[in-house]
Amino acid sequence: MPLARVSAVLPPALRGWLGTVAALAASVVVVLGCRYAGVGEPGRVDTRVQAAVDGVGSPWRYLALTADALGEPARGTLAGALIEHFIST
């Protein structure tokens, strides 16, 4: 069975230019990641946002944060649904 010929999405003139832009963007991300690696203290804006979010004081928020920290989307969705259920009833 012969393979189908796949045409390129971008014309050749744009491929090189966009490849260069993508490489530059990736290098900026790497440089910023190295620059701010290990910085554990939040900035001024982060502190204000966190204070506004923590001001809610919901006891179910800690359950949601724990489920979110586990990194499994299904568990986070289930925790969010349970919180919504218990808050609305």
Side-chain angles (χ1 to χ4, degrees):
M1 181 163 118
L3 296 175
R5 184 178 165 108
V6 178
S7 64
V9 175
L10 294 174
L14 284 178
R15 275 187 239 153
W17 183 75
L18 288 177
T20 304
V21 171
L24 178 64
S27 63
V28 167
V29 168
V30 168
V31 167
L32 289 175
C34 291
R35 164 67 176 91
Y36 292 107
V39 177
E41 297 296 317
R44 286 183 289 172
V45 174
D46 297 324
T47 305
R48 291 186 62 141
V49 169
Q50 188 67 29
V53 170
D54 279 341
V56 175
S58 172
W60 292 100
R61 182 173 185 275
Y62 300 109
L63 174 66
L65 287 175
T66 303
D68 185 47
L70 295 175
E72 186 177 330
R75 211 173 286 167
T77 303
L78 177 62
L82 286 173
I83 291 169
E84 178 63 30
H85 173 73
F86 285 115
I87 288 175
S88 64
T89 55

